[in-house]
């Protein structure tokens, strides 16, 4: 209490170290969830198709989806493609569930709006430019149903689709309407799933689907899963490096402060030893101070660390972070251990004090 300034410096150093430890470890464990949600904006990471030449059936698709953990499934959408004519030109026309596709392909850009009524369609930008059709225009699609009968149906263009990919060459409508026109239902060409999971977890889910539904061939979207895994590993490695550096600096700061305290108290240490105190008593004094500092700094670090992690998460990912209860004992134990290690050299210096020399004033 008589050396409050030095003790506060040591406490401040421990608190900063504990804050960085608590905050970065919280971020470390929450980053996979945050990154998974962030990467879902780049589209689906698991594709489902039929192993045979046949189309994907509704029954098999539902079986496969039940094998995906519900808490990890962001969304799933199935697609059926047919060739229909617009202004006598053939275009690939896809039947989709527009509510579902916004979860698996959030990167779709629509000038206008998604179809709300049955007889509204999305035109890819390339299709729109080819036939000179704009949002709000009326078009007529012509095709053959599964029985070979020709049909004609008028639609209103609700929006123009821009993705920078092959979707711009297609026309999209509600899958229920396409099934009505084709006079059959319950079959798809491909389905895609957006799953919040690591690369290893995705491989496990794919293997589970392949073993559980023989007719379905699951396939990982490598460009998405590989990028996600690479970024995640680098980010987690950076977190550990920064945490280690900060803890080492904390140890140096505490050790320096405690060495100054020992230097100031050499006369007290010498007097105590001359009155019969053993080195064990000196060790208990300084180590006790260190443990108290470590404990208090750890408690402060837990609170400040969560505030720090929350601020980082909100600024970087735009989402709140979840608190990890196990960090409470971990932060306190590490803070106490770091402080105790930092006290070893000052304690060694304190036990080496010669009372005869100190009391002489040397």
């Amino acid at each position: 209490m008589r050396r409050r300034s030095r003790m506060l410096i040591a406490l401040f150093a421990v608190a900063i170290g504990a804050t960085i430890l608590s905050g970065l470890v919280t971020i470390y464990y929450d980053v996979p969830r945050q990154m998974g949600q962030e990467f879902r904006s780049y589209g689906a990471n698991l594709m489902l198709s039929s192993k045979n030449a046949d189309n994907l059936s509704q029954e098999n698709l539902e079986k496969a989806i039940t094998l995906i953990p519900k808490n990890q499934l962001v969304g799933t959408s199935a697609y059926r493609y047919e060739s229909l004519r617009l202004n006598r030109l053939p275009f690939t026309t896809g039947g989709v569930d527009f509510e579902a596709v916004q979860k698996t392909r959030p990167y779709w850009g629509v000038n206008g709006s998604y179809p709300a009524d049955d007889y509204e369609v999305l035109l890819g930008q390339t299709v729109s430019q080819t036939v000179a059709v704009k949002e709000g225009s009326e078009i007529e699609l012509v095709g053959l149903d599964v029985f070979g009968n020709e049909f004609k149906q008028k639609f209103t263009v609700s929006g123009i689709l821009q993705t920078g990919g092959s979707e711009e060459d297609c026309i999209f409508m509600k899958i229920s309407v396409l099934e009505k026109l084709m006079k059959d239902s319950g079959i798809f060409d491909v389905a895609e799933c957006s799953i919040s999971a690591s690369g290893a977890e995705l491989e496990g889910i794919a293997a589970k689907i392949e073993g559980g539904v023989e007719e379905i061939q699951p396939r990982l979207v490598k460009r998405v899963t590989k990028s996600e895994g690479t970024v995640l590993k680098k980010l987690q490695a950076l977190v550990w490096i920064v945490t280690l550096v900060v803890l080492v600096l904390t140890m140096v700061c505490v050790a320096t402060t405690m060495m100054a305290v020992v230097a100031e108290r050499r006369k007290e240490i010498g007097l105590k030893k001359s009155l019969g105190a053993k080195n064990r008593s000196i060790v208990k004094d300084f180590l006790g101070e260190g443990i108290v500092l470590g404990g208090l700094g750890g408690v402060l670090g837990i609170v400040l660390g969560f505030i720090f992690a929350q601020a980082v998460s909100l600024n970087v990912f735009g989402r709140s972070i979840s608190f990890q209860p196990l960090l409470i004992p971990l932060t306190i134990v590490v803070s106490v251990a770091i402080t105790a290690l930092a006290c070893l050299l000052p304690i060694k210096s304190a036990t080496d004090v010669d009372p005869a020399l100190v009391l002489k004033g040397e």
Side-chain angles (χ1 to χ4, degrees), residues 86 91-94 98 108-111 113 115 121-135 139 141 157-173:
L86 171 59
F91 291 102
T92 300
T93 303
F98 288 106
W108 275 16
V110 177
N111 288 331
S113 62
V121 293
L122 272 184
L123 250 61
Q125 187 171 354
T126 304
V127 178
S128 172
Q129 293 171 349
T130 302
V131 297
V133 172
K134 297 181 179 180
E135 175 196 346
I139 62 172
L141 295 177
V157 178
S158 67
I160 306 300
L161 180 62
Q162 294 179 326
T163 65
S166 59
E167 296 96 338
E168 293 187 357
D169 300 324
C170 302
I171 302 170
F172 290 96
M173 66 175 67

Side-chain angles (χ1 to χ4, degrees), residues 18-308:
T19 298
I20 299 300
L21 171 67
S22 175
L24 291 185
V25 171
T26 300
I27 292 170
Y28 176 88
Y29 282 105
D30 210 67
V31 154
R33 179 179 68 88
Q34 300 280 17
M35 289 295 293
Q37 292 177 354
E38 199 69 27
F39 268 90
R40 296 292 59 76
S41 64
Y42 294 98
N45 48 5
L46 180 66
M47 307 296 292
L48 303 176
S49 58
S50 177
K51 285 184 179 179
N52 308 315
D54 300 331
N55 291 320
L56 190 63
S57 70
Q58 177 79 34
E59 182 183 358
N60 288 332
L61 178 59
E62 290 177 352
K63 285 181 183 178
I65 293 174
T66 58
L67 298 175
I68 302 172
K70 290 183 179 179
N71 63 323
Q72 292 180 295
L73 184 62
V74 176
T76 179
S77 56
Y79 300 82
R80 177 176 179 173
Y81 294 102
E82 301 291 345
S83 180
L84 303 184
R85 298 192 304 278
L86 171 59
N87 293 353
R88 298 183 180 181
L89 297 174
F91 291 102
T92 300
T93 303
V96 299
D97 180 339
F98 288 106
E99 186 176 345
V101 84
Q102 291 178 64
K103 295 180 180 179
T104 58
R105 297 187 180 185
Y107 58 87
W108 275 16
V110 177
N111 288 331
S113 62
Y114 281 94
D117 297 331
D118 284 350
Y119 295 101
E120 288 185 340
V121 293
L122 272 184
L123 250 61
Q125 187 171 354
T126 304
V127 178
S128 172
Q129 293 171 349
T130 302
V131 297
V133 172
K134 297 181 179 180
E135 175 196 346
S137 301
E138 190 175 84
I139 62 172
E140 185 178 64
L141 295 177
V142 181
L144 298 175
D145 61 26
V146 293
F147 302 108
N149 301 318
E150 184 179 81
F151 62 82
K152 296 180 180 180
Q153 182 62 54
K154 291 184 178 180
F155 292 88
T156 300
V157 178
S158 67
I160 306 300
L161 180 62
Q162 294 179 326
T163 65
S166 59
E167 296 96 338
E168 293 187 357
D169 300 324
C170 302
I171 302 170
F172 290 96
M173 66 175 67
K174 288 186 176 181
I175 193 165
S176 58
V177 176
L178 183 60
E179 290 175 338
K180 187 187 295 183
L181 294 174
M182 298 305 298
K183 291 186 169 57
D184 69 348
S185 62
I187 58 172
F188 310 100
D189 291 291
V190 67
E192 59 185 20
C193 302
S194 182
I195 304 171
S196 182
S198 64
E201 288 175 326
L202 274 175
E203 289 177 0
I205 292 171
K208 191 176 180 181
I209 292 174
E210 190 170 13
V213 188
E214 295 181 357
E215 296 82 359
I216 286 185
Q217 177 64 57
R219 179 171 56 86
L220 298 181
V221 182
K222 296 291 186 182
R223 57 187 170 82
V224 176
T225 54
K226 188 175 181 181
S227 299
E228 184 176 350
T230 301
V231 172
L232 190 58
K233 285 179 181 178
K234 290 181 178 179
L235 207 56
Q236 289 179 325
L238 179 62
V239 166
W240 280 120
I241 291 171
V242 172
T243 302
L244 183 62
V245 170
V246 171
L247 290 179
V248 170
L249 292 176
T250 299
M251 191 185 302
V252 171
C253 183
V254 173
T256 304
T257 303
M258 294 302 290
M259 282 294 288
V261 170
V262 170
E264 288 180 351
R265 295 170 63 180
R266 289 181 75 249
K267 289 184 178 180
E268 297 171 25
I269 296 168
L271 180 59
K272 190 171 183 178
K273 293 180 76 172
S274 68
L275 293 174
K278 297 181 179 179
N279 283 338
R280 184 169 55 188
S281 175
I282 306 298
V283 170
K284 285 181 179 179
D285 284 346
F286 286 98
L287 192 59
E289 286 184 12
I291 290 173
V292 170
L293 284 174
L296 291 174
V299 172
L300 286 173
I302 292 166
V303 178
L304 297 176
F306 181 71
I307 296 172
F308 166 69

